[in-house]
Amino acid sequence: MITYPDRNDHILPDLLGAINSIRLYSHKHPQARTSVDRVMERLDQVFQTEEKLAIGVFNDNMLVNRKPVVGVGKVSESMVKVLKEVGIDQIVFLKGLYQEEFTMFLMETFGTGAGSSGFMDYSHILLGRISEDEEKGEDTNVDSVMDLSSSKDFIWMLRNLDPQNPFNFKAVRDLSVDLMDTFRYSATPLKYLAEVKSEDEYTYVHTINVALLSMSLAKHIGISGSELMDIIYAALMHDVGKMLVPKEILNKTGPLTPDEFEIIKAHTVNGVMYLCNQKEIPRIAILAALEHHIKYSGGGYPNITRDWKPHFVSQIISIADIYDALRSNRPYRARLEHDQIMGILRHDAGIGLNPQLVEVFIEMLEGQSN
Ligand SMILES: [Fe+2]
Ligand SMILES: [Fe+2]
């Protein structure tokens, strides 16, 4: 049985029905009128509490108001197909939309002979066009469905998670929504991710993995809302200072010289300097960039004071950081097996890492892999 967990998802089958009716009949045909009425009723309901309704396609998935649509099966598939056929990947309906405008939009976009003169302008409908996005490589004038200029990379990343990755689909979906919210909350991590991807693939994947793992651990201990957003943000930016480390040093296979190690260690302080020059940075992100290599019981780098205790959020990110580094192939060593990594984390609990957090982290990973 089809279920619609999000009230706004109801719009999809009705919208698809209206599109199909316009394709088959004249807009004056009773069938077409009924379908249009139904969508307008849905939209009127939505506009009682919201200013707009955004429908989008990302990597063959439908999104309504930035949330992936679930449980609509074939309707979602058909809608993706229909929108692709006409070269649209986003439709935003704005409050104030009236029936004639909506009917005109359907006829001009999906009706017979549609597309021959390009898309028309509407007062209450904004369209994101596939070809235009690709040509420009940036957002259209639409208030983006997700504010995710690199959403395709993000979804690619989700689909290419390490096979040993413990997340099940539902967990990944929940996490992706939080991650998307973070990107909506600030574009800075996106700009950084785009830059780091072109510079260093490992740091790019590592950064996203650390964000997913930190987010998961934080949620596991009950953190939510704006605090969770700040943690995701901080995790995404924790290694931003590595942008200033020369690639030859970052990817060196042999042992580092003392000078090279100093340059690597400086990524913490350089990260702070980078973040301090950005607008509206959560303070915790600055702190985590500074502290994520400082040990729980003192030591590590940078050397601030011997008894400097990293912030709780930095402690979360440290665990995710070490876990992801150990399970990755690096130029100087092969990836470690899950059990070996768990052994290292347990050994480091209470020394480099917060023991309670390590316990929860291991429970979380092992619980999800069962
Ligand atoms: Fe780091
Ligand atoms: Fe890192």
Side-chain angles (χ1 to χ4, degrees), residues 25-71:
Y25 312 110
S26 144
H27 69 283
K28 291 182 182 156
H29 189 283
Q31 176 69 38
R33 284 188 178 184
T34 309
S35 310
V36 167
D37 285 350
R38 203 171 289 145
V39 177
M40 289 305 299
E41 277 169 28
R42 292 272 184 215
L43 287 172
D44 284 345
Q45 276 176 16
V46 172
F47 293 145
Q48 282 175 16
T49 53
E50 293 167 54
E51 294 298 306
K52 64 186 175 186
L53 182 81
I55 291 173
V57 182
F58 285 94
N59 274 24
D60 293 342
N61 296 307
M62 288 304 305
L63 302 165
V64 173
N65 280 351
R66 300 187 296 115
K67 291 183 186 165
V69 171
V70 292

Side-chain angles (χ1 to χ4, degrees), residues 206 238-239 321:
H206 167 71
H238 80 281
D239 269 342
D321 190 28

Side-chain angles (χ1 to χ4, degrees), residues 179-330:
L179 200 47
M180 287 170 190
D181 280 345
T182 303
F183 290 145
R184 190 172 180 78
Y185 159 75
S186 167
T188 302
L190 271 186
K191 278 189 276 171
Y192 161 61
L193 285 176
E195 270 178 64
V196 85
K197 182 167 187 337
S198 63
E199 283 294 310
D200 180 20
E201 194 75 25
Y202 166 75
T203 303
Y204 172 73
V205 175
H206 167 71
T207 293
I208 297 176
N209 285 344
V210 171
L212 289 171
L213 290 162
S214 302
M215 175 167 37
S216 197
L217 177 55
K219 285 177 83 160
H220 231 74
I221 55 175
I223 298 174
S224 61
S226 63
E227 286 175 343
L228 184 67
M229 298 297 110
D230 283 355
I231 292 174
I232 298 167
Y233 191 118
L236 282 169
M237 305 304 287
H238 80 281
D239 269 342
V240 65
K242 282 200 179 155
M243 296 284 279
L244 294 175
V245 178
K247 266 194 203 169
E248 320 75 85
I249 299 180
L250 266 187
N251 298 319
K252 190 173 176 184
T253 47
L256 294 170
T257 66
D259 283 350
E260 287 168 341
F261 192 40
E262 287 307 314
I263 292 171
I264 295 257
K265 290 201 292 191
H267 82 273
T268 50
V269 178
N270 286 332
V272 171
M273 279 161 35
Y274 173 90
L275 290 170
C276 284
N277 284 315
Q278 304 296 313
K279 284 184 197 146
E280 295 170 7
I281 297 289
R283 287 177 61 195
I284 194 61
I286 300 173
L287 207 50
L290 181 73
E291 294 180 336
H292 67 278
H293 291 285
I294 295 181
K295 294 177 185 298
Y296 173 74
S297 61
Y301 65 87
N303 187 0
I304 305 174
T305 59
R306 178 68 207 166
D307 56 353
W308 185 282
K309 195 97 171 162
H311 188 281
F312 188 66
V313 169
S314 305
Q315 294 173 10
I316 290 177
I317 293 172
S318 290
I319 294 175
D321 190 28
I322 288 172
Y323 174 81
D324 186 65
L326 293 175
R327 70 173 178 169
S328 305
N329 278 315
R330 302 296 299 128

